[in-house]
Amino acid sequence: QVQLVESGGGLVQPGGSLRLSCVASGFAFSSYAMSWFRQAPGKERELVAVISMTGGSTRYTDSVKGRFTISRDNAKNTVHLQMNSLNSEDTAVYYCNKHRGIFALGSPGYWGQGTQVTVSS
């Protein structure tokens, strides 16, 4: 069965950086686009970034462009999210997921536990 295990979150000061990781199993990892979502308290889950099957194409929500970088290592079934210049609005639980393609995201049917990112001074 599909498993998505996120890690790397924590408490960081404004302007700081974190690198999140998601280890996937239970499906053909290299045949799917991968994404990061986040959900802040009282808000709906939103797409943060998505990367194509080979890693050759990426998309980001406007609020993180230039600050976040999504990457993947197909040999390790792992997707990463490098987050720089963090601010309080980045505080959320971050989740990864899989998709048919970066322009065919659909509605994910399974979510992992996520990893908490808290940006505070």
Side-chain angles (χ1 to χ4, degrees), residues 15 32 37 44 50-51 56 62 72-73 78 82 87 91 93 97-98 104 107 110:
Y32 290 85
F37 286 75
E44 295 184 353
V50 59
I51 187 167
D62 286 345
R72 66 190 296 163
D73 184 342
T78 302
Q82 178 66 47
N87 59 63
T91 295
V93 178
N97 222 294
K98 67 182 184 70
S107 299
Y110 174 84

Side-chain angles (χ1 to χ4, degrees), residues 4-15:
L4 301 167
V5 182
E6 299 94 343
S7 63
L11 176 64
V12 65
Q13 292 184 246

Side-chain angles (χ1 to χ4, degrees), residues 35-110:
S35 66
W36 285 96
F37 286 75
R38 67 186 180 187
Q39 186 167 28
K43 297 184 178 180
E44 295 184 353
R45 185 147 39 200
E46 66 170 342
L47 178 68
V48 175
V50 59
I51 187 167
S52 63
M53 293 177 287
T54 63
S57 298
T58 58
R59 292 200 296 125
Y60 300 90
T61 192
D62 286 345
S63 64
V64 309
K65 287 181 179 177
R67 300 189 297 120
F68 290 11
T69 302
I70 187 171
S71 62
R72 66 190 296 163
D73 184 342
N74 285 353
K76 297 181 178 180
N77 283 14
T78 302
V79 61
H80 301 281
L81 186 68
Q82 178 66 47
M83 306 186 295
N84 300 325
S85 301
L86 288 162
N87 59 63
S88 62
E89 295 185 358
D90 297 316
T91 295
V93 178
Y94 285 71
Y95 304 86
C96 64
N97 222 294
K98 67 182 184 70
H99 311 275
R100 291 186 61 191
I102 63 172
F103 299 111
L105 301 186
S107 299
Y110 174 84

